[in-house]
Amino acid sequence: MCVTRRRSARCTVLEPRVRLVDVAPTLAELCGLPPLPDAQGRSLVACWSGSGDADDRFLVSQDCPSSGLVHSTLIGARWKLIRVMRDAAA
């Protein structure tokens, strides 16, 4: 994830894997709001300063383009599994 601050052209690249569910907790912390009680993600603010802890989460993504192939990806700390299959419904 690449984060820019203000109008600077410089970008901070976050090394830990980030997920879409991390956006809401991050925005809440940046706005000074209390943590969201039911949020599944976590704030990424600590990662910007380099004080974030090691990321041990798995990431899962799936893409079903109109080509009829299903792309599934599972990413761990030191590995990535990519599976491409023909969609049975196509």
Side-chain angles (χ1 to χ4, degrees):
M1 176 179 201
C2 180
V3 179
T4 59
R5 295 182 184 174
R6 298 190 182 121
R7 295 181 185 174
S8 171
R10 295 177 55 183
C11 179
T12 301
V13 177
L14 300 181
E15 291 298 328
R17 294 178 303 278
V18 299
R19 304 180 300 175
L20 187 57
V21 297
D22 297 330
V23 172
T26 302
L27 292 176
E29 183 174 347
L30 290 172
C31 293
L33 300 172
L36 302 167
D38 297 329
Q40 294 179 5
R42 62 182 181 196
S43 175
L44 302 172
V45 173
C47 295
W48 294 342
S49 64
S51 62
D53 55 350
D55 193 353
D56 57 354
R57 301 178 297 174
F58 294 102
L59 297 180
V60 177
S61 71
Q62 188 169 37
D63 181 27
C64 302
S66 60
S67 67
L69 297 177
V70 177
H71 305 98
S72 301
T73 307
L74 178 63
I75 302 172
R78 298 187 321 181
W79 51 267
K80 182 187 302 183
L81 171 67
I82 300 172
R83 183 177 179 191
V84 179
M85 296 177 40
R86 184 156 312 278
D87 186 1

